Every structure is written in C-alpha cells, then in structure tokens.
Amino acid sequence: MSASLFVVILGLFCCSKESSQSILGRPELMGPSVALVKSIANFHCKLEIYPKNVTILLQLFKEGDRGKELGFYTSLNGVVANFPIVVKPNHEGNLECVAKAQNNSDIEPTVSYTQYLKVLEPVNEAEIVVSSGPEEFFEGKRLNLYCKPHAGNHVSYTWLLNGRLVSPSRLRYVVVDDHLSIYRTTSEDSGSYICIATNHFNETVVFSSNSSEVVITVKDLVSIPDISFTVLKEDSHNYSAVVACQTAKGSPPVTFSLYNRTELVANTTVDDRNATFKLPLVLDRPMGWLQCQANNGDRIEYSQWIPLEVVPVGGPVTMHYDYEIGENYAVIDLRFYCKAAKGSFPRYQWFLNNTLLHGRGSFYYVVNQHPGESRLLLSVGRSSAGTYHCEVSNSFDNDTTISSKRLYMDKEVLNRFPVLVVAVVFGCFTALVVLVSICCCIGGIYRRRQYGEKTPLSFEMEEMMTAYEDELDLSEYNEDADVLNTASGAEFDQASEASVDEWPQIEKEKKTLEDEPVDEP
C-alpha cells in the first residue's frame, strides 16, 4: 500500500515539474502613475513563473491597442524587463505587459494587470475668446467667455473681473470648466476679465498661465427722459422757455430731440444725460405740446407730453391751517397752507409779523415741493406767536405780488374752543331736550286713550278707598253682610263715578260714617 502511494506521488511530481516547464506565469508591470510630456518614464515587467532555458519576449502595450508596441524586452531565466519610453500625450491610459515564449507556440502568452498612466502637459499661453460676439454691447444681452490655453491638460480655471474673483451664481454667473457665462448683463459687468489656467504635477509642482486682459463694455440703455421748462425774462416784453431734457441712466453719447406735437423743434447729441433747448414764449397763450426723445444707439425712449403755456399768478391767495394735538389735548404742531388761484410758476414767501421766513428756522420749516402750494410747518410755542401771512409772485419776475389775509396765532388762541364746536354741542343738547319732551307728550296722549276719561285724581281716589276698605273689620257690624256689601258696593260705585267737583262732599260723608257709633251685637 505504501509502495503504491509513493509511486503516485512521484508521478505527480514529475508531471508538475514537466508542466511548470511549459507554462508562463502572469507578468507584473511596475512604473510611475503620472509623468510629464516629453519626459522619460521607466516601466518594469517581472515574470515569476517561466520555463527554463526558454527565451521570453516581454512587450509593453496600451490596453486595447496591440498594434502599437510601446517597448519590448527579451528575457532569459526571469530577468526583469525595463521599458524606457519618451512620454507622449497619447500614452495616457491603462498600460499592460504581455509575455510570450519565442519560437515556441505551445506555450500560451500571458498578460499583466493594467496600470494607469496620467500624462501631464504643463499649461501655457492661456487666452480669452469672446464667443458671444463684440466686446462692447448694450445691457440685457448674454456674455460668453472661453479660456483657451495653447497647451496643457488636466487644467483648472479661475476667472477675475477687475482683479476680483468671479464666484458662480445661479442667477447671473455660470462657470463650467473653461467657460464663463453671464445672463442678462448690466453695466456692473463691465471691466477687465482675466482667466488663470492651472495644473499640478505630483501635488508639488504647479504650472500656471494668466491670459491677457479682455475689456468688456456693457452700455446702459437710455431710460425714459424727463421734460420740464422754466421761464426766462429777456426784457420787459420778451420771454423765453428753457426746456430741459434729461435721463436717469444711459451710456453716452445720447441724442436728444425736442418735438412740438409732430414738428421737430431741435436735436442735439451730448456726452451727458441732459440737454437744454430755448424757445420763444408768449405769456397767457397756449404754445403747443412738447415731448423729448432720447436715443443712445439701441432704442428710442419718449417723455410725457407737457403743455407749453405760462399763466401769470393771480388772486385771490388763500391761507388755511390744520394742527396736531398732544397727550394733554393741547396743540403742539401747526401747518399753514398757501395757494394762489392761478399761476404756472408761483413763488411763495412766508411772513411772521412782516419778517420774511427763510427755509428752516428754530421753530418753522418752509416746504415748497409742490408748485401749486406752499406749506409752513410750525412748532407751537412762545417764539411762534404772531401774525402770519404769505405772498405770491411769479418766479421769473417781481412785477406782480399778491398777499393773503393776515392771521394772528398763538398758543391760547389755538387751544380755545372754536365757536363752531360750542354751537354744535349746544345744538345737540337742545335737540335732546326737545326729543324727550315730545316723547313725554306722546306717552300722555297714549295713556289717556287707553284708560278713557279717567283723570289721575280718579285713579288716586280709587286707590285710597280700596285702602280704607281694607282697614275696616266687617265682623263688628250687626248688619247683614250682604246688605253691607251691597251698600258698600253702591257707595264705591258712586264714588268711582264721582267727578272732581264732588270730591269735597265725598270726604264729608266719609268723616260722618267714621264718627257714628257702632252697636254691639
């Protein structure tokens, strides 16, 4: 038994030895994981299991491309192969080592596991390409910038606007790899753009390239212009209208055109956002309707229409006031209002005791924001007491001045009850008294109708007789109760039917009845 087992083991050993002499093990590929373009990278391929005295050909390929050999080495008896290659950009990818026996087709070739090689080309000569169009355009359009390096891979990009980092934003800025997009541009997006292209080698060596500046100009669209005019007095008989056209925004140059209805009066191009025009003017006469148009190259905006007519100031000049009350129901603030009956360009002046009040003082403030009215705001106190009035004249001359009525005002006058308030309170009280009186009269009439001809005295007499009956003790009388009741009922009926004139007689009879003696039973 033992001899048979020995023979089997010996046979297996011989077979395995013969088999090992005719197969190849899996080669092992070793080398760098990253390399620079044009540098020399050394890869090594080692074979652990190989047949004795058989020449082995080791080849280096890019995975999937066996038609292009990157390097080869002939090895005998397990010598490690060395593949020095000059790195090119197309070498990036998975590399593999293939082992095959030369001149022996009975031995199957073997392939190593793959190893990835990253090929880094240093970035160089970055530039910005404006792919959206011209570098100068109007707001609202889209801007697309592309950072294009002449050389380099595995590049990261940074964008700067006027030296500041551009951060991605959902609403406006979109940065995707080497592209920067700005939706709905505004003039704030104008400036100098730079892109910085960067790549890294082994996290220690950094290659960087800055592009040259690209200046982007986003022009503001012109806004709706405002139009107004003032009056200029040339001499005692001649006047002119100075028309002003201006826009709140709009990149210059701006062309302004002035129209009187459909007729072009004048136009001008300025490097600012306002222009003036001078027209002849006749007072108190309609001279047409004016409109201003503004254009800075992309579109035309139109102002509203205004009438060209100047009416001199005229009376009367009215002045009224209102006030605010504090916690103790005393007037603390007072507001005067002054207004002329007519006038296109009035000038208002306020006076306290014939002293002109300018702008703002310790206790007052003059407000002339609305051309048709002026306000004088007062803080009520000792300093504000006095006589007030306002005067109105044309702003373009002093030929006509109209004064309002004078009004004396102090703290005591303001806190006095107005006559109107007193009259209203007294009237309400009188109306209440009259209303109560009417209600009483109506109630009396209704009560009389309900109870017939009975007077209040009749009701009082009945009540007294009822009380008298209750006080009498009928058990003390010898008379028959029915007779007594009959007599009493008749007497009471007679009393109830008595008039007011019979009242003294009834009283007398009642007294006599009380004085009569009562017989004992």
Side-chain angles (χ1 to χ4, degrees):
M1 180 70 181
S2 61
S4 300
L5 180 62
F6 176 75
V7 171
V8 171
I9 292 173
L10 182 62
L12 291 172
F13 175 76
C14 293
C15 290
S16 63
K17 185 175 181 182
E18 183 179 357
S19 174
S20 64
Q21 296 295 326
S22 60
I23 64 173
L24 293 175
R26 183 186 295 274
E28 181 182 358
L29 179 63
M30 299 168 290
S33 60
V34 59
L36 292 175
V37 171
K38 298 181 180 179
S39 66
I40 297 177
N42 290 304
F43 287 88
H44 306 279
C45 188
K46 181 172 65 173
L47 191 63
E48 293 290 346
I49 301 174
Y50 53 88
K52 298 295 184 181
N53 300 321
V54 176
T55 303
I56 305 300
L57 177 63
L58 300 171
Q59 296 173 295
L60 183 65
F61 294 101
K62 188 174 180 180
E63 184 182 27
D65 188 8
R66 297 286 179 87
K68 188 174 183 180
E69 187 182 62
L70 302 181
F72 68 94
Y73 189 87
T74 302
S75 173
L76 184 63
N77 298 328
V79 177
V80 178
N82 182 33
F83 305 110
I85 61 173
V86 179
V87 179
K88 297 179 181 180
N90 59 355
H91 289 164
E92 181 166 333
N94 289 317
L95 303 182
E96 59 186 7
C97 178
V98 178
K100 62 175 63 174
Q102 285 187 326
N103 302 322
N104 190 345
S105 58
D106 295 333
I107 302 176
E108 292 291 333
T110 57
V111 182
S112 69
Y113 292 112
T114 60
Q115 179 175 340
Y116 187 82
L117 173 65
K118 176 183 177 180
V119 177
L120 184 72
E121 183 178 11
V123 68
N124 189 26
E125 296 183 12
E127 67 171 345
I128 295 178
V129 177
V130 184
S131 58
S132 56
E135 298 176 3
E136 181 176 310
F137 52 91
F138 283 95
E139 63 179 331
K141 297 182 179 179
R142 179 173 176 173
L143 174 64
N144 291 323
L145 301 179
Y146 166 53
C147 188
K148 180 182 178 181
H150 284 193
N153 58 359
H154 302 287
V155 181
S156 59
Y157 299 90
T158 303
W159 293 90
L160 302 178
L161 171 58
N162 297 325
R164 295 183 178 181
L165 180 66
V166 175
S167 300
S169 169
R170 288 184 180 180
L171 298 178
R172 301 190 65 241
Y173 298 99
V174 178
V175 179
V176 180
D177 296 331
D178 52 358
H179 284 79
L180 170 63
S181 297
I182 305 177
Y183 299 93
R184 298 188 62 84
T185 54
T186 66
S187 57
E188 296 179 355
D189 300 318
S190 298
S192 174
Y193 286 84
I194 294 177
C195 79
I196 302 174
T198 306
N199 54 6
H200 301 263
F201 176 69
N202 285 336
E203 304 298 330
T204 56
V205 181
V206 179
F207 302 98
S208 180
S209 177
N210 293 7
S211 71
S212 56
E213 294 184 352
V214 172
V215 178
I216 300 296
T217 303
V218 182
K219 298 193 293 183
D220 284 323
L221 292 170
V222 69
S223 61
I224 296 175
D226 295 323
I227 183 171
S228 62
F229 71 91
T230 57
V231 179
L232 177 64
K233 187 176 182 180
E234 304 286 355
D235 53 43
S236 58
H237 299 290
N238 295 317
Y239 298 87
S240 297
V242 180
V243 183
C245 297
Q246 60 180 1
T247 61
K249 58 177 292 189
S251 299
V254 180
T255 300
F256 290 96
S257 302
L258 180 65
Y259 283 82
N260 189 343
R261 298 189 186 276
T262 59
E263 178 185 357
L264 176 63
V265 178
N267 60 4
T268 182
T269 301
V270 295
D271 290 330
D272 206 346
R273 291 193 291 267
N274 57 76
T276 57
F277 304 93
K278 193 173 181 181
L279 304 177
L281 181 67
V282 179
L283 298 182
D284 224 357
R285 179 187 298 177
M287 303 289 291
W289 288 79
L290 300 179
Q291 185 190 61
C292 184
Q293 299 180 7
N295 179 18
N296 66 340
D298 188 72
R299 66 186 180 191
I300 301 175
E301 293 291 350
Y302 304 88
S303 73
Q304 62 179 355
W305 291 96
I306 62 171
L308 180 59
E309 181 179 5
V310 177
V311 178
V313 295
V317 173
T318 58
M319 185 176 71
H320 65 281
Y321 69 92
D322 59 20
Y323 52 83
E324 292 183 3
I325 298 177
E327 296 180 356
N328 57 353
Y329 301 100
V331 176
I332 56 175
D333 291 320
L334 185 65
R335 291 182 293 270
F336 281 108
Y337 301 88
C338 183
K339 185 175 182 180
K342 64 177 183 177
S344 302
F345 294 91
R347 178 175 57 202
Y348 295 93
Q349 291 179 309
W350 289 94
F351 294 87
L352 171 59
N353 298 328
N354 294 323
T355 301
L356 180 63
L357 302 178
H358 293 283
R360 182 190 292 270
S362 59
F363 63 91
Y364 68 89
Y365 178 41
V366 178
V367 180
N368 290 322
Q369 294 179 351
H370 193 279
E373 187 179 60
S374 178
R375 289 184 295 167
L376 176 63
L377 311 181
L378 294 174
S379 178
V380 177
R382 184 177 300 175
S383 302
S384 61
T387 301
Y388 290 86
H389 78 280
C390 70
E391 294 182 357
V392 185
S393 61
N394 292 313
S395 62
F396 48 86
D397 63 28
N398 294 318
D399 294 346
T400 303
T401 301
I402 306 173
S403 178
S404 69
K405 292 182 179 181
R406 299 172 184 270
L407 180 63
Y408 178 80
M409 197 66 63
D410 62 17
K411 195 170 185 178
E412 288 72 19
V413 172
L414 288 171
N415 291 299
R416 185 184 306 159
F417 280 109
V419 176
L420 179 61
V421 174
V422 175
V424 170
V425 173
F426 181 76
C428 292
F429 178 75
T430 304
L432 181 61
V433 172
V434 172
L435 182 61
V436 172
S437 302
I438 293 173
C439 291
C440 291
C441 293
I442 294 174
I445 295 172
Y446 174 76
R447 187 174 180 184
R448 183 164 183 171
R449 289 181 178 178
Q450 185 176 4
Y451 295 100
E453 298 298 329
K454 293 183 180 181
T455 64
L457 292 175
S458 301
F459 287 109
E460 185 176 355
M461 184 185 66
E462 288 182 2
E463 291 176 358
M464 293 180 64
M465 293 300 293
T466 304
Y468 176 73
E469 279 185 358
D470 294 338
E471 292 177 358
L472 290 177
D473 186 2
L474 298 179
S475 64
E476 296 178 356
Y477 292 92
N478 294 325
E479 299 175 5
D480 188 78
D482 295 335
V483 176
L484 181 59
N485 290 337
T486 303
S488 299
E491 289 176 0
F492 289 143
D493 290 340
Q494 187 178 2
S496 62
E497 294 175 359
S499 63
V500 178
D501 296 335
E502 295 175 345
W503 177 253
Q505 175 120 11
I506 293 172
E507 288 289 334
K508 186 177 179 180
E509 290 177 0
K510 183 172 70 169
K511 186 174 182 183
T512 303
L513 183 61
E514 291 175 354
D515 295 339
E516 287 180 358
V518 180
D519 294 335
E520 294 293 334

